[in-house]
């Protein structure tokens, strides 16, 4: 898998290549374009190489100088998408956890097919309220956020209604996820019990990758949510990453398929979950 920083940088380079194509189509050198806009030539070079992100004004001026005003809005839209690819948690959560939860509701509602891989947590669509409370309380304390955990929990629980709508969920968990005692033994017992019940829903497929699976070909990777074939979200320690490049989406889809082949389902998955419950003592 590519690193978060390389994903963003690659998107910037792709935007730079489009700028170079527009400039070349207009028959302008970088120097001529820069002079017409009153820029230093290095500014145009940095935009085209992806070393610097152009502002919306820069993009519109570029298109105007090249006689390609019709390209401007699409470029601005692309640039805004790149700007939103890598968002630090402190920025995303500056208005509190409730707002951060609400911000993804439209995406959840319009997605028909969810593919979720989690190597460390039970994922959002199948979490209990107690498990959510434990997670968000920890996040609040660790990041020094305002205390709106109850309101944030309410929003996340309401978001889970998509599990009962016209959506499908393919969820892959590493077996170790079942053993991490988030919120203590009682919270985990309730969460694992809920996982057993939600597996019966026709819209939900849950696969567990056993700890003793042969991982010589594919080791655990970062957790990710794949929404249809539209975008991937990855939660990092410091930031929230959105991947939209088509070839990267294909890489995540391929990785999900390969991980799915390592997983067990049905009775075998239930056995692993039941064993985890029993281990809680």
């Amino acid at each position: 898998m590519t690193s978060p920083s390389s994903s963003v940088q690659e998107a910037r380079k792709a935007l730079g290549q489009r700028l170079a194509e527009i400039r070349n189509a207009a028959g302008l050198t970088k120097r001529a374009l820069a002079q017409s806009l009153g820029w230093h030539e290095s500014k145009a070079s940095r935009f085209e190489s992806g070393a610097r992100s152009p502002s919306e004004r820069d993009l519109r001026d570029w298109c105007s100088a090249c006689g390609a005003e019709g390209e401007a809005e699409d470029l601005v839209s692309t640039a805004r998408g790149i700007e939103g690819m890598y968002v630090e948690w402190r920025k995303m959560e500056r208005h509190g956890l409730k707002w951060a939860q609400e911000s993804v509701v439209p995406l959840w509602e319009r997605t028909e097919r969810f593919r979720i891989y989690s190597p460390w947590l039970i994922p959002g669509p199948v979490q209990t309220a107690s498990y959510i409370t434990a997670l968000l309380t920890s996040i609040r304390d660790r990041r020094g956020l305002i205390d709106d955990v109850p309101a944030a929990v309410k929003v996340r629980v309401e978001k889970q209604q998509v599990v009962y709508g016209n959506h499908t969920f393919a969820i892959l968990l590493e077996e170790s996820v079942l053993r991490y005692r988030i919120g203590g033994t009682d919270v985990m017992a309730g969460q694992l019990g809920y996982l057993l019940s939600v597996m019966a829903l026709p819209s939900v497929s849950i696969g567990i990758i056993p700890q003793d699976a042969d991982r010589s070909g594919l080791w655990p990777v970062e957790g990710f949510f794949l929404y249809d074939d539209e975008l991937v979200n990855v939660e990092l320690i410091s930031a929230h990453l959105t991947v939209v490049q088509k070839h990267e989406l294909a890489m995540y889809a391929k990785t999900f398929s390969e991980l799915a082949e390592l997983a067990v389902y049905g009775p075998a998955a239930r056995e692993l979950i039941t064993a985890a419950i029993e281990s809680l003592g």
Side-chain angles (χ1 to χ4, degrees):
M1 305 296 291
T2 54
S3 71
S5 58
S6 69
S7 296
V8 177
Q9 185 57 31
E10 192 163 340
R12 286 183 179 143
K13 285 182 178 178
L15 177 61
Q17 289 170 357
R18 288 183 63 186
L19 292 175
E21 290 166 3
I22 291 171
R23 176 181 57 75
N24 287 327
L28 294 173
T29 63
K30 279 182 279 193
R31 176 172 296 177
L33 174 65
Q35 286 178 343
S36 72
L37 293 172
W39 296 350
H40 192 280
E41 184 180 348
S42 63
K43 182 175 179 178
S45 294
R46 288 198 295 271
F47 287 162
E48 290 191 7
S49 68
R52 177 176 171 180
S53 298
S55 68
E56 293 183 17
R57 172 71 180 274
D58 292 330
L59 291 170
R60 291 193 170 95
D61 288 347
W62 188 290
C63 290
S64 178
C66 295
E69 289 86 349
E71 301 274 358
E73 291 309 313
D74 187 49
L75 290 175
V76 167
S77 177
T78 298
R80 287 173 180 165
I82 295 170
E83 184 69 22
M85 285 177 69
Y86 190 90
V87 181
E88 290 189 24
W89 289 117
R90 63 182 180 181
K91 180 177 180 181
M92 187 171 184
E93 297 169 345
R94 66 187 182 277
H95 300 304
L97 288 164
K98 177 176 179 284
W99 183 88
Q101 293 298 317
E102 289 174 335
S103 67
V104 297
V105 168
L107 174 61
W108 278 45
E109 290 179 341
R110 72 172 180 267
T111 298
E112 295 180 359
R113 182 189 183 196
F114 292 76
R115 280 166 285 178
I116 303 167
Y117 166 70
S118 182
W120 51 74
L121 295 172
I122 305 295
V126 291
Q127 291 171 347
T128 64
S130 296
Y131 190 88
I132 296 168
T133 299
L135 287 175
L136 296 186
T137 299
S138 175
I139 290 171
R140 178 203 65 197
D141 294 345
R142 192 167 67 248
R143 297 177 184 159
L145 305 174
I146 64 171
D147 186 9
D148 65 346
V149 168
V153 171
K154 183 174 183 291
V155 172
R156 181 172 281 196
V157 170
E158 290 171 351
K159 279 164 53 181
Q160 292 178 337
Q161 292 305 307
V162 298
V163 174
Y164 303 96
N166 296 320
H167 312 266
T168 61
F169 293 81
I171 298 172
L172 297 176
L173 305 176
E174 296 287 345
E175 183 183 354
S176 55
V177 170
L178 310 177
R179 304 282 178 164
Y180 296 141
R181 299 192 178 188
I182 306 297
T185 56
D186 288 346
V187 170
M188 276 308 297
Q191 175 61 73
L192 294 173
Y194 180 66
L195 207 57
L196 287 172
S197 64
V198 82
M199 289 173 72
L201 294 174
S203 60
V204 177
S205 166
I206 295 180
I208 312 292
I209 302 175
Q211 288 182 315
D212 60 1
D214 182 356
R215 306 303 290 259
S216 55
L218 186 62
W219 54 89
V221 296
E222 70 268 20
F224 60 87
F225 275 56
L226 176 54
Y227 300 89
D228 291 324
D229 291 310
E230 179 184 350
L231 62 83
V232 164
N233 277 343
V234 183
E235 295 189 357
L236 309 171
I237 291 174
S238 62
H240 182 272
L241 174 71
T242 300
V243 176
V244 295
Q245 300 282 336
K246 288 192 179 299
H247 72 279
E248 288 190 276
L249 294 177
M251 289 175 67
Y252 277 96
K254 182 175 183 290
T255 298
F256 186 88
S257 295
E258 292 172 348
L259 288 166
E261 292 178 6
L262 298 175
V264 296
Y265 303 85
R270 288 178 176 276
E271 282 184 20
L272 293 177
I273 296 170
T274 301
I277 294 174
E278 292 172 350
S279 75
L280 294 171

